[in-house]
Amino acid sequence: HVAVAELNGRIYLFGCYRLPDSGTATWIPMNTAWEYDPKADSWRALAPVPQARGSANAVALGGKIHLVGGATLPPELKDPNFHPSRNVSVGTHEVYDSFFRVDPHAVIPPYGAEYPIYYGIFEDNDRSKRLLAVVNYNNDLAEYWEFSERGYYPIDLSNEAYKLGVNYVVYAMTH
């Protein structure tokens, strides 16, 4: 659940979750930031991101890395353990029909029957221009992909998640 982006030949990783040292097995969001230099084959810890988060998305745009979305703890919550599953929003874009016909809101989040959220980052912040990044919030498609061979989730939902992922790739390669 780490956000990854490439900028100037280096790979950057932001946020993630970790398990607690003891007690209930839940997720604790992290504010980590790392830089990988493939030429030197070395990692370097960076200053922490301002807010701990997991399941975010990172995109390099205009010489900067934008860290978007993800899940974190509400400030009033004193318990550091949580599970992201209670948010409602909606978003659409043609990426959903770039190859497979998929209703993105029919892909029920793997953590419960919450409404999936899709955000887009557009070129020049103009919705009529090219979509640069998609943020899947409250819908972890990778969970369907990761566990599809284990039978944790219904085959139909895993198939729809794969179709949505293929649409993302086809859209990215054709726009």
Side-chain angles (χ1 to χ4, degrees):
H1 301 287
V2 63
V4 180
E6 180 275 334
L7 182 65
N8 300 326
R10 296 185 179 197
I11 300 170
Y12 295 86
L13 285 76
F14 303 95
C16 63
Y17 296 108
R18 72 171 179 83
L19 292 174
D21 296 328
S22 63
T24 305
T26 58
W27 297 346
I28 299 173
M30 303 293 294
N31 63 348
T32 54
W34 290 87
E35 176 189 71
Y36 175 70
D37 181 351
K39 289 182 181 178
D41 190 25
S42 64
W43 288 95
R44 179 172 69 104
L46 302 175
V49 296
Q51 184 169 21
R53 65 178 82 190
S55 300
N57 290 271
V59 62
L61 180 64
K64 297 179 181 179
I65 296 177
H66 299 261
L67 188 58
V68 182
T72 191
L73 298 170
E76 68 275 3
L77 187 63
K78 302 300 180 214
D79 182 2
N81 305 318
F82 94 123
H83 195 281
S85 65
R86 301 271 181 223
N87 289 290
V88 177
S89 186
V90 65
T92 59
H93 194 272
E94 64 179 328
V95 69
Y96 301 120
D97 295 327
S98 61
F99 189 77
F100 289 107
R101 171 67 66 174
V102 178
D103 176 2
H105 298 102
V107 182
I108 299 167
Y111 306 121
E114 301 298 327
Y115 202 69
I117 300 168
Y118 301 92
Y119 295 107
I121 297 175
F122 295 88
E123 184 177 358
D124 298 328
N125 203 27
D126 182 346
R127 291 179 61 93
S128 67
K129 292 189 176 182
R130 186 169 60 108
L131 178 65
L132 301 173
V134 174
V135 178
N136 298 308
Y137 186 75
N138 204 26
N139 195 7
D140 193 348
L141 296 176
E143 288 291 314
Y144 287 121
W145 305 337
E146 182 179 357
F147 298 114
S148 62
E149 85 283 1
R150 296 185 186 161
Y152 290 161
Y153 304 115
I155 292 173
D156 290 346
L157 286 177
S158 291
N159 287 345
E160 292 303 296
Y162 277 113
K163 289 178 186 177
L164 202 50
V166 167
N167 281 357
Y168 290 170
V169 172
V170 170
Y171 182 90
M173 300 298 286
T174 59
H175 287 75

